[in-house]
Amino acid sequence: MKQISILTIAAIIAINLCTTGYAQLNDAQEILTKVDEVSCAPEDQYMKSTMILVDKSGNQNERKMVIYQKGGDKRLVRFLSPADQKGISFLSLPNDLMYLYLPAFRKVRMIASHVKNQNFAGTDFSYDDMSSFSFAKDYDSQLIESSDTFYSLKLTPKPELEKDYSQLKMWVNKDSFVPSKIEYYDKNGNLWKTLTFDKIEKTGKYQIAKQMEMKNLKKSHSTKMIVNEIKLDSGLSDNIFTKRNLKRIR
Amino acid sequence: MNSKRFFLAIAGLFIVGDWLFADNGVSITGYIQTDNRIQTKSNKFTWNENRLNLRLEGAPSDKYHYFSEIRLRGFGFPATSRFSDLQMQEKNKVYPWGLEFREAYVDLYGFGLKNLDVRIGRQVIAWGTADALNPTSNISPDDLEDIFNFGEKLGTNAVNASYYIGDNLTINGVYVPVFTPATLPFGDFADAFSAPMDLPPGMVVRRLSDKIILPERKPSESSQIGLKASTNLLGYDLSLSYFKGRDDLPILSKATITPVDMIGTVDITTELIYPEMQVIGGDFAGSIGSVGIWGEGAVYMPEEVTMTTIAPSPITGQMETTQTVALDDEPYCKFVLGGDYTFKNGLYFNGQYLHGFLHERGKDELNDYFTFRLEKTLLNDKFKIVPIGGAVAINDWDDVKNNYGLVYAPELSYFPSDNVELNIGSFIIDGKGDNMFGMIKGLDEIIFRLKVSF
């Protein structure tokens, strides 16, 4: 099964235009599987992005990074700025393998799963959000509402998985199977984070969300991710997604 | 041109280079750091360092990458003792400063063979999966100048080749042509790694001098090699390694005790050497459930070192020579086991058990250590607090009360903006007996650091 991540859906909402006009689906899990498939449509992706972190006082910090992704289960993220984070690189591989390269220590280090739910480099995305996973694989889906334009789904983590979220609510465009908003609820059932997708523009045969925003309601903190440059289906080599490449600069 | 002017020329090149090479993908980064420490017992400043660290790096193509790091620092305190010291052009005595050529290497990717990467030049080679304390990492010499920053390494000239077989096996071979010794703590902390010298009752040392004997600069004496194979099996990173070279810490091989009067006053002259050794090591990293775990162990096989003592016979008064074993050639094993975990509330814990510290050698000389660190970030990562951090040493489990060492190192960091870190911390040291912390007990310090990256 192809795997995807939030970033795949959000920053790279890749709608294969050839697949428009899906039949109406009533099975919630089938809808979620379609979301995964649509989001994974590009063979590979390369993008340069800017993350803008905004605290409750309106103070902003900026992170720049390049992201390589192949399929739904291989991703490499490399920080370009700020200076004290430059060169820090993160590799996500199938079977939940994650590696971090910290230039100051000159070592590639395996990341254990306890880190997955922690913030990624001070952003409102977690390592889990930045790594590759499948909604359909990780969540059981329940159809709450079906309007003219959206499916509204309630996702609950599969019992064997350890997630910090008790449930997700996802609004999925009926015509494209692209989510427009996701709400994340904590273990007590309180709304914790919201993820919204904006500036959806056509790039090649896909449509790309050039901007998205994750808001952490508990911290009154948000992270806006802006895609500055993107290349799809450019034939990225598997060699990019290796520990060998992790510590190389580009 | 002296070395410091050469450094300034290089530093200037770094700065001009940023403008000159901007379009060629050359990256110039670094940091400025000030580090000041005061000893609470004596109420004296013990560390006064201002550092400019520069890194130049570039990868003009997929075929190669280059990197260099230099460090300019004002370090220490005014040492003027004569009027002429105030008139020196280089101001060395007024404000001691120096430079350090950390690294300068070139990476050649796919060198000759598609799956072969070679790094040539001065470089830091760090092996092992444990945090800071790595029994398998013996190629780059230890930089123990700052005793509270163990795990730091010096650059060494080397050829470092990595061959990748498939996706999951890496063979790493290293050749170091010339041996480089480790640096050691200075001042009050010099005692941490030095076993106390046992002198006969009544003997008083007037003058103590030492001589370090480096290996000859020929391949058979001075060169070192390392081999490592790494893979991932069942979700665990594993490696096996072999090292043949020398211990980077010296050991006493000869002492000449010369009486200077009839009441027991003596001069002592010592010689120290770097013993040869072979090390077979292995390490792993992975997780059990959601807890990160790692382990690293190494069997050290040193050459036997004989200690020659030339001293007056207590019976005849004539100088006589005796020989004892300073370092047995019996293999001994150092190892580390560690783990880390992040709790739901964001509290991070890291702990390690270590058998045999960096400077300890010989089966009967290895002590047990526990290192621990609990940290938490607050207010959107603006603050990081380490309420509990430090290490415990036990050198005799049968009498722990009289044979323990303890370092407690709480710390608070503040990040007012990206690239800026303010840090205040302390080291509170206690202990009894013949162990590293016991020998520097009471030398508690408060530390203040400011670092700005660019």
Side-chain angles (χ1 to χ4, degrees):
Chain A
M1 180 190 285
K2 281 190 172 180
Q3 295 178 317
I4 62 161
S5 74
I6 285 173
L7 283 188
T8 309
I9 292 174
I12 314 164
I13 292 176
I15 308 166
N16 188 332
L17 298 181
C18 302
T19 63
T20 53
Y22 282 113
Q24 289 275 319
L25 295 173
N26 294 318
D27 180 80
Q29 203 64 26
E30 201 174 340
I31 294 168
L32 197 59
T33 303
K34 283 288 182 193
V35 170
D36 288 357
E37 287 174 2
V38 166
S39 301
C40 257
E43 287 293 318
D44 59 62
Q45 303 146 16
Y46 162 86
M47 66 178 169
K48 281 189 176 174
S49 300
T50 302
M51 279 187 174
I52 299 170
L53 286 59
V54 185
D55 70 14
K56 62 182 173 188
S57 304
N59 299 314
Q60 295 190 0
N61 290 308
E62 194 175 279
R63 313 258 181 279
K64 286 187 183 294
M65 62 192 73
V66 289
I67 301 173
Y68 301 83
Q69 179 164 325
K70 190 161 188 178
D73 54 9
K74 290 181 178 176
R75 168 171 291 134
L76 189 145
V77 181
R78 197 187 307 281
F79 278 90
L80 305 175
S81 72
D84 61 355
Q85 294 186 18
K86 185 177 179 181
I88 293 176
S89 304
F90 167 70
L91 175 65
S92 172
L93 295 171
N95 302 318
D96 279 347
L97 274 180
M98 293 193 292
Y99 292 95
L100 191 65
Y101 174 65
L102 300 170
F105 295 99
R106 298 169 178 82
K107 278 185 184 177
V108 173
R109 177 145 194 191
M110 181 184 271
I111 301 177
S113 60
H114 66 87
V115 180
K116 281 186 172 182
N117 295 318
Q118 301 305 306
N119 289 346
F120 179 73
T123 71
D124 294 287
F125 295 96
S126 65
Y127 278 89
D128 203 18
D129 297 335
M130 295 297 291
S131 66
S132 298
F133 71 98
S134 162
F135 282 105
K137 185 176 69 115
D138 289 355
Y139 292 91
D140 291 322
S141 179
Q142 183 185 341
L143 184 63
I144 299 171
E145 189 184 345
S146 178
S147 69
D148 290 343
T149 51
F150 290 103
Y151 291 115
S152 178
L153 303 177
K154 178 184 171 185
L155 312 184
T156 46
K158 294 197 169 174
E160 68 273 16
L161 297 178
E162 191 179 340
K163 297 279 184 187
D164 272 4
Y165 309 125
S166 62
Q167 61 168 291
L168 274 59
K169 285 183 183 170
M170 179 188 283
W171 284 262
V172 181
N173 285 291
K174 272 192 161 177
D175 58 346
S176 63
F177 286 87
V178 172
S180 63
K181 183 181 176 183
I182 303 174
E183 291 180 347
Y184 300 81
Y185 291 80
D186 67 15
K187 294 284 189 189
N188 296 321
N190 301 313
L191 182 58
W192 182 2
K193 296 178 185 176
T194 61
L195 180 64
T196 52
F197 312 97
D198 301 300
K199 294 191 179 176
I200 298 175
E201 297 169 8
K202 189 179 174 188
T203 303
K205 59 181 181 178
Y206 308 105
Q207 291 211 3
I208 307 299
K210 296 288 178 68
Q211 191 171 301
M212 66 175 184
E213 186 172 23
M214 179 74 97
K215 285 185 178 170
N216 186 324
L217 305 176
K218 286 184 183 176
K219 290 184 172 181
S220 300
H221 194 273
S222 67
T223 301
K224 187 178 286 183
M225 181 169 171
I226 300 164
V227 177
N228 306 115
E229 182 187 340
I230 188 161
K231 293 176 191 168
L232 303 172
D233 296 337
S234 59
L236 294 181
S237 163
D238 284 331
N239 293 334
I240 290 171
F241 307 95
T242 58
K243 288 198 282 179
R244 178 188 188 185
N245 183 55
L246 189 60
K247 49 190 175 184
R248 287 189 187 181
I249 73 157
R250 281 283 188 278
Chain B
M1 186 185 287
N2 67 27
S3 59
K4 290 181 180 175
R5 284 182 181 146
F6 176 72
F7 170 82
L8 288 177
I10 296 290
L13 190 63
F14 267 56
I15 293 158
V16 174
D18 196 22
W19 163 76
L20 196 62
F21 303 126
D23 290 339
N24 295 328
V26 179
S27 156
I28 295 175
T29 57
Y31 62 84
I32 291 169
Q33 177 176 285
T34 183
D35 185 336
N36 292 275
R37 304 177 191 180
I38 188 167
Q39 209 171 83
T40 53
K41 187 177 175 185
S42 61
N43 199 29
K44 281 183 181 173
F45 287 102
T46 56
W47 194 281
N48 176 35
E49 181 186 5
N50 293 286
R51 178 189 295 183
L52 167 63
N53 202 89
L54 289 172
R55 297 185 204 105
L56 180 145
E57 183 169 23
S61 81
D62 284 347
K63 295 292 179 191
Y64 72 100
H65 159 249
Y66 53 85
F67 177 88
S68 184
E69 181 176 355
I70 54 175
R71 189 174 286 175
L72 169 66
R73 54 186 196 159
F75 191 27
F77 299 91
T80 50
S81 57
R82 297 164 55 173
F83 193 79
S84 60
D85 291 342
L86 304 172
Q87 299 171 314
M88 292 173 69
Q89 282 188 339
E90 291 213 340
K91 303 182 178 64
N92 256 351
K93 296 279 185 179
V94 175
Y95 185 69
W97 64 293
L99 62 96
E100 192 179 338
F101 194 46
R102 301 275 303 169
E103 290 185 271
Y105 60 76
V106 176
D107 285 320
L108 301 169
Y109 301 131
F111 183 64
L113 298 167
K114 184 183 163 194
N115 293 331
L116 181 66
D117 294 344
V118 181
R119 176 171 291 180
I120 301 171
R122 189 170 185 80
Q123 58 192 284
V124 172
I125 298 167
W127 282 1
T129 50
D131 273 354
L133 301 160
N134 300 103
T136 63
S137 192
N138 295 290
I139 296 173
S140 288
D142 295 303
D143 184 358
L144 300 170
E145 169 193 84
D146 180 0
I147 193 173
F148 299 120
N149 191 22
F150 47 76
E152 189 81 355
K153 295 276 185 180
L154 294 168
T156 187
N157 296 339
V159 178
N160 184 357
S162 297
Y163 187 72
Y164 300 88
I165 302 168
D167 290 338
N168 199 22
L169 179 61
T170 304
I171 306 293
N172 183 212
V174 181
Y175 173 69
V176 178
V178 178
F179 170 77
T180 307
T183 55
L184 294 170
F186 57 87
D188 293 338
F189 295 108
D191 293 340
F193 293 160
S194 307
M197 187 181 284
D198 295 324
L199 292 173
M203 186 177 283
V204 178
V205 179
R206 184 185 69 168
R207 190 178 298 131
L208 178 63
S209 60
D210 59 58
K211 183 181 177 186
I212 295 269
I213 299 174
L214 284 168
E216 277 190 83
R217 288 195 304 273
K218 54 186 184 182
S220 59
E221 289 294 312
S222 188
S223 296
Q224 307 187 102
I225 58 162
L227 281 171
K228 189 168 80 153
S230 313
T231 189
N232 182 281
L233 196 64
L234 302 172
Y236 283 81
D237 279 355
L238 306 169
S239 84
L240 284 173
S241 61
Y242 170 75
F243 168 80
K244 184 176 189 306
R246 288 181 183 271
D247 193 332
D248 61 1
L249 295 170
I251 187 168
L252 199 58
S253 65
K254 186 177 178 184
T256 305
I257 301 171
T258 310
V260 294
D261 58 27
M262 301 300 287
I263 56 170
T265 309
V266 296
D267 287 345
I268 299 179
T269 306
T270 60
E271 286 183 8
L272 298 99
I273 62 165
Y274 294 91
E276 289 185 35
M277 64 177 184
Q278 298 181 71
V279 182
I280 295 173
D283 61 50
F284 72 89
S287 57
I288 296 177
S290 54
V291 178
I293 58 162
W294 56 84
E296 185 173 341
V299 178
Y300 285 67
M301 294 168 285
E303 68 166 342
E304 184 179 285
V305 176
T306 304
M307 165 76 176
T308 303
T309 306
I310 303 170
S313 164
I315 300 165
T316 66
Q318 298 297 309
M319 294 294 276
E320 64 178 27
T321 300
T322 55
Q323 290 198 319
T324 52
V325 175
L327 179 62
D328 201 310
D329 62 0
E330 186 180 359
Y332 58 94
C333 183
K334 293 184 182 182
F335 59 90
V336 181
L337 290 171
D340 67 350
Y341 186 73
T342 308
F343 295 91
K344 295 288 180 198
N345 59 4
L347 202 61
Y348 171 77
F349 177 74
N350 180 313
Q352 295 193 124
Y353 163 64
L354 167 73
H355 182 65
F357 206 77
L358 296 167
H359 66 296
E360 294 171 351
R361 53 195 157 197
K363 189 179 154 194
D364 299 327
E365 303 300 321
L366 307 181
N367 294 325
D368 294 313
Y369 297 83
F370 300 89
T371 64
F372 48 88
R373 184 178 173 90
L374 196 65
E375 70 178 43
K376 173 101 170 92
T377 55
L378 304 164
L379 300 173
N380 294 319
D381 298 342
K382 285 283 182 196
F383 291 90
K384 184 169 76 181
I385 184 168
V386 181
I388 299 172
V392 173
I394 307 288
N395 57 306
D396 185 352
W397 284 99
D398 293 330
D399 186 14
V400 173
K401 209 168 82 175
N402 293 307
N403 291 283
Y404 72 94
L406 171 68
V407 175
Y408 173 55
E411 194 181 322
L412 175 67
S413 298
Y414 172 48
F415 305 88
S417 70
D418 281 340
N419 302 320
V420 181
E421 179 180 356
L422 273 156
N423 179 274
I424 186 163
S426 69
F427 289 97
I428 298 162
I429 308 162
D430 193 16
K432 273 186 180 176
D434 183 16
N435 65 75
M436 187 171 71
F437 304 133
M439 285 186 273
I440 56 171
K441 71 173 179 179
L443 301 180
D444 304 347
E445 294 206 326
I446 294 171
I447 294 180
F448 171 80
R449 286 194 201 97
L450 170 63
K451 182 178 179 183
V452 178
S453 302
F454 55 86

